[in-house]
Amino acid sequence: MEELNNVKENAHEMSPDGGDFNIKGHVIICNWTVKADVIVRQLHDESVHERNPIIVITDKPERVPKSTDKAYRGLLIIGGDPANREILIRADLKYARTAIILADDEDIQNADSRSILIQLAIDSINPNVHTIVELIKSSSEMYFHYTHVNEIICLEQLAEKLLSQAALTPGLSEVYMNLLTQSAETNEIYLEEVPKRFLGKTYGEVEREIISIKDKDIILIGWSTSVEKEEDGKAIVNGKGNIIFEKEIIINPKSSTGGAYSKIHKFRKGDSLFLIAYEKPELGKYFNGD
């Protein structure tokens, strides 16, 4: 199956707690809602460089369309409660790349509470998986501060901020839609590891080198770095005593020399670059030593 990373190639050695499909590097979608169809199509769009397998966990598997569309090739389904630890283990959560928790659209009143339970179950198995949760109410966000969630998408907050920003900058909503739509005709935001050649170089120096690429239109807008997750000034550790890391994101750093994150920041191993481009930039092809 050329459209997706081959499941067999992604297979790991079977372990006592192996999942139903024995894969790794996949995306897990918890709950199936009307939004899930769009997510699947975006993740498996032909313009995506690496289309990873997707496992859907839902207690209503009959809601998942039996589609023959290309986007649905490689879509795997596990019927059950995504807040159930055993179900998550069956989905190979230990080896997943990303977990997406969608708000239950059939029980909006209790959707956020249910999402918190799913997040806690995920934390108990793999607190380092990159987790994205959809929230209904902004007031629920505070409860996730006690979890290892990486990104919270609150529809209530997004709507309010987008409306106000569009009022201040007419046409801004169209810019966001362009960046959020995965296709060969639109720009998207990509995240790539810093090529070895850029290690030790400043943000400003890397910015100038990327602009010099002639056959691709790429804009550097920021970077991501790993930092120790802390609480009350102390590093947080998991059940095995290992320090848990989280991502810190810096967008359009200031030219000022003040502060830790400015254009004089020197990149180190583990840093990643945020780039705007029509297709995956693949900087390693342009800068040797990657």
Side-chain angles (χ1 to χ4, degrees):
M1 181 162 44
E2 295 181 358
E3 291 84 2
L4 300 172
N5 289 340
N6 191 286
V7 171
K8 291 183 179 179
E9 289 180 359
N10 272 328
H12 54 77
E13 293 183 6
M14 183 65 76
S15 59
D17 57 352
D20 285 11
F21 306 106
N22 202 37
I23 60 175
K24 64 180 181 180
H26 53 293
V27 177
I28 297 174
I29 298 177
C30 298
N31 296 325
W32 185 270
T33 72
V34 291
K35 299 182 184 71
D37 176 74
V38 177
I39 293 171
V40 168
R41 294 180 186 280
Q42 291 282 290
L43 293 178
H44 284 175
D45 188 86
E46 291 184 356
S47 64
V48 177
H49 185 68
E50 295 180 0
R51 295 185 285 281
N52 295 353
I54 298 172
I55 294 180
V56 175
I57 302 176
T58 172
D59 54 7
K60 297 181 178 65
E62 66 277 3
R63 293 188 67 186
V64 183
K66 293 179 174 59
S67 176
T68 57
D69 193 287
K70 263 188 177 183
Y72 276 76
R73 294 180 187 175
L75 186 72
L76 308 169
I77 304 169
I78 294 179
D81 182 0
N84 185 303
R85 194 172 186 278
E86 296 305 315
I87 294 291
L88 290 169
I89 290 174
R90 286 177 55 194
D92 267 321
L93 176 63
K94 279 189 176 181
Y95 307 96
R97 175 186 178 185
T98 304
I100 301 172
I101 303 174
L102 294 178
D104 186 352
D105 60 358
E106 292 191 335
D107 186 8
I108 293 297
Q109 190 66 28
N110 299 305
D112 289 348
S113 298
R114 181 172 163 79
S115 293
I116 291 170
L117 293 177
I118 296 172
Q119 180 63 52
L120 290 172
I122 289 173
D123 288 349
S124 72
I125 300 170
N126 184 5
N128 289 314
V129 67
H130 189 88
T131 312
I132 306 162
V133 64
E134 175 193 9
L135 277 193
I136 301 297
K137 301 174 183 177
S138 57
S139 58
S140 300
E141 186 173 345
M142 59 180 290
Y143 299 106
F144 281 88
H145 293 166
Y146 302 98
T147 72
H148 299 298
V149 67
N150 298 99
E151 298 184 57
I152 295 175
I153 310 297
C154 181
L155 304 184
E156 189 177 71
Q157 288 180 336
L158 282 176
E160 292 168 354
K161 291 180 179 179
L162 184 55
L163 285 167
S164 59
Q165 287 297 310
L168 293 169
T169 309
L172 187 64
S173 61
E174 196 169 327
V175 174
Y176 280 126
M177 285 302 296
N178 185 293
L179 292 173
L180 294 173
T181 301
Q182 182 68 50
S183 74
E185 290 74 37
T186 57
N187 280 281
E188 289 82 41
I189 298 176
Y190 293 90
L191 182 66
E192 290 196 352
E193 287 186 15
V194 175
K196 290 181 180 178
R197 175 173 159 178
F198 290 163
L199 297 179
K201 290 192 174 185
T202 67
Y203 182 94
E205 291 171 332
V206 170
E207 189 175 38
R208 287 191 289 273
E209 290 210 42
I210 290 175
I211 290 175
S212 70
I213 299 175
K214 300 298 182 184
D215 59 337
K216 273 193 177 182
D217 300 303
I218 305 172
I219 303 171
L220 175 64
I221 61 171
W223 81 90
S224 170
T225 189
S226 292
V227 296
E228 293 181 0
K229 193 166 186 177
E230 295 184 349
E231 185 175 322
D232 298 326
K234 295 180 181 180
I236 299 176
V237 298
N238 60 21
K240 295 182 179 179
N242 298 320
I243 294 174
I244 295 174
F245 289 85
E246 62 181 350
K247 294 291 184 182
E248 186 159 0
I249 296 171
I250 301 90
I251 299 298
N252 189 24
K254 295 181 179 180
S255 299
S256 168
T257 56
Y261 299 132
S262 67
K263 280 189 167 61
I264 64 169
H265 168 79
K266 291 185 178 180
F267 289 111
R268 62 189 184 188
K269 188 175 181 180
D271 286 353
S272 299
L273 304 176
F274 278 104
L275 308 144
I276 291 180
Y278 283 99
E279 59 184 359
K280 187 172 175 61
E282 297 183 279
L283 295 179
K285 290 185 177 180
Y286 296 90
F287 302 104
N288 55 20
D290 187 27

